[in-house]
Amino acid sequence: MSPFLHGLSVSQVFRSPRGIGWVDRGFHSAGRRGAPGCERVYHGGMATKPPTEDIDETRLRVDEREHYAVGVPAVLHALKISVEQMGVVRSAQTLLRVNQKSGFDCPGCAWPEEDRRHAAEFCENGAKAVAEEATLRRVGASFFAQHSVAELEEHDDYWLGQQGRLTEPMVLEEGGTHYRPISWEAALAEVATALRGLDDPNEAVFYTSGRTSNEAAFLYQLLVRGLGTNNMPDCSNMCHESSGSALNQTLGIGKGTVSITDIHEADLLIVAGQNPGTNHPRMLSALEKAKDKGARIIAVNPLPEAGLFQFRNPQTPRGVLLGGTKLADDFVQIRLGGDQALFQAIGKHLLEAEARDGGVLDHDFIDAHTAGFAEYAAQVGDVPWAALEEATGMSEERLREIGEQVRTSKSTIVCWAMGLTQHKHSVPMLRDVVNVLLLQGNMGRPGAGVCPVRGHSNVQGDRTVGIYEKPAEAFLEALDREFEFASPRKHGYDTVEAIRAMRDGKVKVFMAMGGNFVSATPDTRVVEQGMANVGLTVQVSTKLNRSHVVHGRRAIILPTLGRTDRDRRGGRDQRVTVEDSMGAVHGSRGRLAPPSEDILSEVAILARLCELVFADRDDAPRADWHGLESDYAAIRGHISRVIPGFEDYDERIDKGRTFFLPNGPRDERRFTTENGKANFTANPLEYPVIPEGRLLLQTLRSHDQYNTTIYGKDDRYRGIHDGRRVVLINSEDIRELGFAEGDIVDLVSEWNGPSGIEERRAEEFRLVPYDTPRRNAAAYYPETNVLVPLDSTADVSGTPTSKAVVVRLEKRVASV
Ligand SMILES: Nc1nc2c(c(=O)[nH]1)N[C@H]1C(S)=C(S)[C@@H](COP(=O)(O)OP(=O)(O)OC[C@H]3O[C@@H](n4cnc5c(=O)[nH]c(N)nc54)[C@H](O)[C@@H]3O)O[C@H]1N2
Ligand SMILES: Nc1nc2c(c(=O)[nH]1)N[C@H]1C(S)=C(S)[C@@H](COP(=O)(O)OP(=O)(O)OC[C@H]3O[C@@H](n4cnc5c(=O)[nH]c(N)nc54)[C@H](O)[C@@H]3O)O[C@H]1N2
Ligand SMILES: [Mo]
């Protein structure tokens, strides 16, 4: 990969005598003019002040959607945001260190590095994630003195997140109007006393978001299990839980089975239910490499996402000057939730081709390594083409054409993200993905396998080191042996169960290690009410968010370090480790001065809590808590003795090295399922049936957000500017439902609950005609989470069905 950005390396951009005057040249020679905000970049070496206003939706503009991703505008946009948040010097310091051997792991996404020795691979949204964390804006005691909690609650997520980094521990008393400062000693003592005072440890809930390092996550689960509960809901429950459920059962591992080299070497890549141009931009370089080597790409999506079609790599002349690389050879515009039918159709086509001509299936693989083939073949044999056509919105001929591309592929990888995991029938859908791959032996050989593309940068690592409400017995036994205690065996709450327990008044302490529980979870009104029922809520956070202003009777905010911050403990710079989407573990070390002196790392907070909570308890885990806080290598020592695959952990990440965790299916076609085989499964076909006059709504990310953190007001690739309250909808549906383009409507979700139809309402969204299948609409999360019913979850995995909410539209005011 070339480290160059239009002939200049990122370092040259910042080192040029004219500062980022470079932007001028790069941009004119690329034949473009007037990138918005560019002037600010020229004149301002300083970070800018946070916004004073919420998003003003009346300014919303809609234009043509883009037909390519990245390119020069992406570079400009990222530089603009970086300089606004961090100023020029800090921007240079940080952007040069992302994903470098001696640098920090990008907090953006979990896509692996191509090769960590090269200079920074440019990624617009990675740069934005970094800028958001390394911002020079601050939220300290004077901020909280100025703004009451009631006032803060009125602001939108954009305003809250943009205020800056938290700098000192704060507490909100019962009935208090403002957060006030509290010392670390008093804050941690209060948390520990609350936890020790519980009648039953199951009255506490401990949420984790996926940025937490392996070291902190491991200590966290030890704190929780030492206390005596497995109540560990995490963001994974809302994310790739369906992937884990389907893959564990069929392949014996809840993770992907490919490496980055496999992506490069695949003959066919199917990218389904994923918008990599926005959410995993570095994946586009890998897809480009695969294309260069002759791969075909099939993109499966209801929306023609820009990043699926054309990639203008800003680091190559081809990308900047010659229009870039065409990615998808075939765009399959599927109906929401139609993917199970698509994969059944492919399987059916392959089986019919085998019966007719032979030579399609990998019989050696099927015989040696799999079980359940006959049942699967019978099931897809019986499913009528008419049903497959109805579910996908495509003809039998078209479905067979896709099946033919799979038949002729020598090695196939299926990549997916939230479009496949957040449906009621996601688990059977993903089992059918596995079925298709098994037919041709696309498992455990180069260029073949499953690739669930993870979201948060360490969400996979957190699970590996024990953040899970249903831990495996072998893990618990090893943990008990290492720390000489007895961990609880009873399974804990997942995210939806935790919300039910909060709603029902069963939770006395709620603690979150990162994330934004209130905005990220479904059924916002129920969650708000649930939070209010909790005695003490504790948020360990980097930045202000809604979960600080929607709180329990008492609330504590503990500010913490992020990936970019220097973490000095025990007289030296500490390093943490993370695992990427492909099971590679590597170190991460921040270099920036932390936002204030008064911030503790996640590890330090947890080690101190363990010490306080476990003091004079004979049945508690035993460890040198103080030692762990001052030397994270000692935590890695514990992990290496508890979790297989981490032998010699610390040595193996030394000097910026990466190591791969063992992966049975990938490494040796070994499947640790109950029967020791890769399992075909027979899954009855399911797909959403949309009631008359209603739409099916998917809730997704704009280009300017990181989950609940809103970076900006644009969704550039989809042509949406200066606003977020839009519904992307087929223009014929607008007409048929009696509306006009630009109408402002309320979205009313309809859920068939135990006592009849329940309604939930999200107000004032503008109708934007868009290229989406009939009766399939899209709107942004988290504004629409209020519509997702708590009980609307995926079978088996319990994941909220964020990509399939039945709604009707209600008109509010005339067209504007
Ligand atoms: N910049 C940025 N990066 C991120 C994140 C972010 O918010 N911002 N979030 C991170 C996290 S935690 C995650 S999990 C990932 C999320 O990454 P994605 O899964 O790409 O995120 P979504 O925006 O939810 O996009 C879902 C995609 O699936 C499509 N889709 C929806 N329903 C269906 C369906 O039924 N079938 C098919 N075939 N497609 C469907 C949608 O049209 C959309 O293109 O990104 C991670 N990276
Ligand atoms: N409707 C709908 N809902 C969804 C989804 C959807 O597609 N549609 N997607 C779901 C998915 S895939 C996910 S993963 C979840 C995401 O849910 P979460 O992970 O809970 O949400 P985030 O917005 O990523 O959390 C952002 C907050 O994390 C804190 N933070 C950031 N970095 C750090 C750090 O290093 N340490 C600590 N301690 N705190 C930090 C900051 O305070 C920031 O405000 O949302 C889910 N919710
Ligand atoms: Mo996620």
Side-chain angles (χ1 to χ4, degrees):
M1 176 202 71
S2 157
F4 294 104
L5 183 76
H6 187 44
L8 292 168
S9 71
V10 176
S11 53
Q12 280 170 291
V13 174
F14 287 105
R15 281 184 203 134
S16 104
R18 295 203 291 141
I20 31 187
W22 160 84
V23 167
D24 186 20
R25 285 181 279 134
F27 154 93
H28 284 299
S29 60
R32 297 188 152 260
R33 282 177 185 280
C38 202
E39 305 70 26
R40 190 96 62 83
V41 175
Y42 281 120
H43 305 303
M46 304 284 284
T48 57
K49 290 209 158 52
T52 52
E53 307 286 334
D54 292 344
I55 298 178
D56 175 1
E57 299 286 341
T58 63
R59 306 174 72 139
L60 186 128
R61 286 180 296 115
V62 179
D63 32 89
E64 282 290 291
R65 61 179 182 82
E66 297 279 2
H67 295 271
Y68 70 91
V70 194
V72 173
V75 180
L76 296 179
H77 185 56
L79 289 178
K80 171 177 176 279
I81 291 206
S82 300
V83 173
E84 279 176 4
Q85 296 276 359
M86 308 188 274
V88 172
V89 175
R90 203 169 161 94
S91 295
Q93 282 173 343
T94 40
L95 295 185
L96 294 175
R97 291 207 182 272
V98 194
N99 295 342
Q100 295 305 291
K101 265 194 168 171
S102 59
F104 61 91
D105 177 69
C106 179
C109 73
W111 188 258
E113 307 324 317
E114 291 274 326
D115 176 346
R116 297 171 64 80
R117 277 168 323 198
H118 279 310
E121 182 183 10
F122 174 77
C123 166
E124 175 191 353
N125 280 352
K128 280 148 70 180
V130 167
E132 197 66 29
E133 178 178 297
T135 180
L136 290 170
R137 300 172 184 165
R138 299 286 176 263
V139 172
S142 60
F143 173 92
F144 286 108
Q146 266 167 36
H147 304 279
S148 71
V149 177
E151 180 206 326
L152 293 174
E153 202 188 333
E154 291 300 308
H155 283 293
D156 61 17
D157 289 281
Y158 167 71
W159 188 96
L160 291 173
Q162 289 299 310
Q163 299 307 309
R165 286 285 299 270
L166 297 158
T167 58
E168 56 194 299
M170 304 295 298
V171 64
L172 181 68
E173 317 276 356
E174 185 160 359
T177 56
H178 291 70
Y179 273 98
R180 65 162 178 82
I182 180 174
S183 70
W184 276 104
E185 290 68 31
L188 294 176
E190 175 167 347
V191 179
T193 308
L195 292 176
R196 287 169 68 106
L198 295 172
D199 297 329
D200 177 340
N202 295 309
E203 294 169 340
V205 165
F206 299 85
Y207 177 67
T208 316
S209 169
R211 279 200 191 172
T212 296
S213 65
N214 283 354
E215 289 76 2
F218 185 76
L219 268 191
Y220 192 36
Q221 62 82 33
L222 189 59
L223 168 73
V224 178
R225 298 201 164 104
L227 186 73
T229 178
N230 283 306
N231 284 346
M232 264 177 280
D234 69 351
C235 67
S236 245
N237 296 143
M238 301 179 273
C239 187
H240 268 292
E241 195 70 64
S242 303
S243 309
S245 302
L247 297 178
N248 262 317
Q249 185 197 352
T250 55
L251 302 177
I253 189 165
K255 308 179 180 185
T257 67
V258 298
S259 71
I260 188 82
T261 339
D262 290 316
I263 301 279
H264 300 154
E265 289 175 5
D267 198 23
L268 174 68
L269 286 151
I270 302 180
V271 180
Q274 206 200 332
N275 179 20
T278 286
N279 297 312
H280 304 91
R282 286 178 301 111
M283 181 176 174
L284 301 186
S285 324
L287 296 179
E288 182 178 47
K289 226 178 215 178
K291 288 290 300 191
D292 284 346
K293 290 191 167 191
R296 281 182 71 74
I297 296 178
I298 302 179
V300 185
N301 204 304
L303 305 180
E305 308 282 26
L308 299 172
F309 290 91
Q310 191 87 3
F311 173 43
R312 294 194 182 166
N313 190 336
Q315 309 182 44
T316 61
R318 172 173 42 162
V320 176
L321 300 171
L322 304 177
T325 305
K326 174 173 179 259
L327 293 180
D329 299 277
D330 192 2
F331 172 53
V332 177
Q333 189 161 29
I334 197 163
R335 286 190 179 144
L336 283 170
D339 305 78
Q340 187 192 8
L342 172 68
F343 281 90
Q344 289 202 353
I346 296 170
K348 193 174 172 75
H349 179 79
L350 296 179
L351 288 164
E352 286 177 14
E354 172 73 18
R356 200 177 49 241
D357 314 320
V360 177
L361 305 190
D362 183 341
H363 291 289
D364 293 345
F365 175 80
I366 294 174
D367 294 346
H369 296 290
T370 74
F373 171 78
E375 293 80 352
Y376 168 66
Q379 197 277 324
V380 289
D382 283 349
V383 73
W385 280 103
L388 300 173
E389 292 183 317
E390 157 84 19
T392 54
M394 287 176 268
S395 66
E396 176 183 338
E397 192 188 0
R398 173 74 173 118
L399 291 168
R400 286 190 184 277
E401 191 181 287
I402 301 159
E404 226 7 57
Q405 297 177 58
V406 178
R407 187 185 69 79
T408 53
S409 159
K410 292 183 206 57
S411 58
T412 303
I413 291 176
V414 183
C415 305
W416 71 86
M418 296 305 99
L420 262 56
T421 64
Q422 297 176 335
H423 284 284
K424 178 170 189 300
H425 58 307
S426 281
V427 176
M429 182 188 290
L430 291 166
R431 287 189 205 127
D432 271 315
V433 168
V434 172
N435 285 332
V436 164
L437 290 170
L438 293 181
L439 285 175
Q440 293 175 294
N442 278 311
M443 203 59 70
R445 61 184 176 85
V450 288
C451 180
V453 182
R454 301 280 160 179
H456 268 301
S457 50
N458 197 39
V459 63
Q460 187 158 317
D462 290 347
R463 272 291 164 93
T464 303
V465 303
I467 302 292
Y468 190 28
E469 76 280 0
K470 302 180 190 74
E473 181 57 28
F475 170 82
L476 295 179
E477 278 168 18
L479 193 71
D480 293 355
R481 217 177 311 120
E482 177 72 10
F483 295 99
E484 301 171 43
F485 81 118
S487 50
R489 268 27 188 197
K490 184 176 164 235
H491 288 174
Y493 299 138
D494 67 10
T495 294
V496 166
E497 290 161 348
I499 296 168
R500 289 194 188 114
M502 289 159 78
R503 175 196 62 195
D504 299 342
K506 294 182 189 157
V507 177
K508 297 195 173 144
V509 179
F510 172 90
M511 177 166 176
M513 192 53 57
N516 181 358
F517 191 81
V518 172
S519 288
T521 49
D523 226 344
T524 316
R525 297 289 102 82
V526 178
V527 177
E528 288 168 344
Q529 179 216 321
M531 287 294 273
N533 289 343
V534 175
L536 175 67
T537 49
V538 183
Q539 302 284 344
V540 181
S541 314
T542 52
K543 300 195 72 181
L544 186 67
N545 65 43
R546 189 150 305 279
S547 301
H548 305 120
V549 297
V550 174
H551 50 79
R553 286 196 293 283
R554 270 178 81 83
I556 290 180
I557 301 175
L558 302 176
T560 197
L561 300 178
R563 295 271 168 78
T564 51
D565 300 311
R566 166 166 287 176
D567 186 357
R568 227 175 147 71
R569 298 260 119 220
R572 75 186 100 158
D573 287 348
Q574 299 289 340
R575 162 169 65 195
V576 294
T577 52
V578 293
E579 175 184 342
D580 69 28
S581 200
M582 294 177 183
V585 178
H586 56 81
S588 171
R589 188 179 269 166
R591 304 275 172 161
L592 298 178
S596 93
E597 296 285 297
D598 207 15
I599 292 192
L600 291 181
S601 67
E602 294 179 340
V603 166
I605 293 170
L606 290 163
R608 289 179 195 191
L609 274 178
C610 284
E611 189 155 27
L612 293 168
V613 173
F614 300 148
D616 6 289
R617 259 189 46 193
D618 294 340
D619 57 350
R622 279 172 218 274
D624 170 11
W625 307 113
H626 188 71
L628 298 183
E629 173 182 338
S630 47
D631 180 13
Y632 299 3
I635 307 176
R636 289 188 281 276
H638 285 299
I639 296 177
S640 72
R641 291 185 291 275
V642 173
I643 304 167
F646 282 93
E647 296 75 19
D648 304 321
Y649 192 177
D650 201 46
E651 294 78 51
R652 280 154 83 197
I653 54 134
D654 204 25
K655 302 198 179 70
R657 281 194 294 254
T658 291
F659 69 90
F660 280 90
L661 290 171
N663 186 306
R666 183 190 65 207
D667 302 340
E668 45 184 333
R669 290 191 158 179
R670 188 168 48 82
F671 303 96
T672 49
T673 52
E674 270 173 30
N675 56 6
K677 301 277 185 191
N679 286 308
F680 282 98
T681 49
N683 308 292
L685 176 66
E686 292 175 65
Y687 56 96
V689 177
I690 312 170
E692 219 19 66
R694 308 297 187 266
L695 300 168
L696 197 64
L697 180 78
Q698 61 151 321
T699 61
L700 41 48
R701 292 151 176 84
S702 81
H703 192 62
D704 270 3
Q705 75 183 80
Y706 194 93
N707 299 334
T708 70
T709 300
I710 314 299
Y711 303 140
K713 302 172 218 172
D714 299 339
D715 192 7
R716 195 171 72 237
Y717 296 152
R718 299 196 186 106
I720 310 293
H721 303 277
D722 275 320
R724 294 178 48 86
R725 295 185 86 85
V726 290
V727 187
L728 309 180
I729 172 176
N730 188 296
S731 57
E732 287 178 41
D733 289 326
I734 299 187
R735 225 181 7 166
E736 200 174 280
L737 293 170
F739 294 94
E741 175 180 342
D743 275 356
I744 307 284
V745 299
D746 282 358
L747 301 173
V748 183
S749 92
E750 297 179 354
W751 168 249
N752 205 348
S755 44
I757 299 283
E758 297 169 13
E759 293 196 349
R760 291 165 173 82
R761 183 176 295 262
E763 292 174 343
E764 296 190 36
F765 282 73
R766 189 173 319 197
L767 296 181
V768 173
Y770 205 82
D771 184 4
T772 173
R774 289 296 305 272
R775 306 180 70 202
N776 284 183
Y780 303 129
Y781 127 80
E783 286 82 348
T784 45
N785 284 38
V786 65
L787 298 171
V788 186
L790 190 62
D791 295 334
S792 179
T793 54
D795 298 335
V796 188
S797 68
T799 297
T801 59
S802 305
K803 298 293 186 267
V805 186
V806 174
V807 295
R808 67 166 193 273
L809 308 180
E810 277 189 11
K811 192 155 184 163
R812 276 186 83 89
V813 290
S815 270
V816 282

